[in-house]
Amino acid sequence: MSRIGKAPIEIPAGVTVTIGKDNVVTVKGPKGELSQAVSPEFTLNVEDGHLTVARPSDDRDHRAKHGLYRALLHNMVVGVSTGYKKEMELVGVGYRAASTGQVLELSLGFSHAIYIQLPKEIKVEAKTERNKNPLIILESDDKQLLGQVCAKIRSLRKPEPYKGKGIKFVGEVIRRKSGKTAGAK
């Protein structure tokens, strides 16, 4: 059995979980509302503050999706109750970030500024402090959407291994390489 799939999802106070027709699960909480379609073969039960996912058989497909659906539902419950937050750091001389509403403006050493229109579900904040790298702080209740937007922003200028310049997550460790002069004697 899937260890993740077997684990019950605890529903915190202030969060309501409703299972509609065709196994569409809707989760409402203080941070927002999310919904996810679950295969009708799976059985979902909400009882005394816990949500459980049960699979119909030990087929390979059912075993694979058991943990997946449980993880997706758990991410929804955590998202609408506490939310998710990602911090990204711009490392490089002249790299800047500014946000106005849902538009993020990035200066990444190209000949032009890059403007990104963010989805309305994501809150963005750009911080710039003297003698520190600029920060982009993204918050959302949808973990999947937040990760996708962060990956898109990071793909504009990935951290390179020689000087470490680029867009990276706060706390991320970049494997550094020595340049061509390090090996020559």
Side-chain angles (χ1 to χ4, degrees), residues 140-159:
S140 179
D141 58 353
D142 191 347
K143 186 176 186 179
Q144 197 171 347
L145 180 66
L146 183 65
Q148 199 171 356
V149 169
C150 286
K152 177 67 179 166
I153 292 171
R154 190 174 190 268
S155 72
L156 297 171
R157 188 66 102 170
K158 286 186 180 167

Side-chain angles (χ1 to χ4, degrees), residues 94-135:
Y95 287 11
R96 289 189 308 277
S99 64
T100 51
Q102 291 301 104
V103 178
L104 180 65
E105 179 188 355
L106 299 170
S107 298
L108 300 173
F110 297 116
S111 61
H112 57 282
I114 299 170
Y115 296 92
I116 300 173
Q117 178 69 42
L118 298 172
K120 65 181 185 318
E121 294 90 357
I122 292 182
K123 284 188 234 163
V124 64
E125 181 185 351
K127 283 187 181 176
T128 307
E129 292 181 30
R130 191 163 171 80
N131 295 329
K132 288 192 177 178
N133 293 328
L135 285 176

Side-chain angles (χ1 to χ4, degrees), residues 87-91 154 159 164 166-172 174:
E87 293 184 1
M88 303 179 88
E89 186 177 11
L90 279 68
V91 181
R154 190 174 190 268
I167 302 173
K168 68 182 191 93
F169 293 104
V170 171
E172 180 183 5
I174 306 298

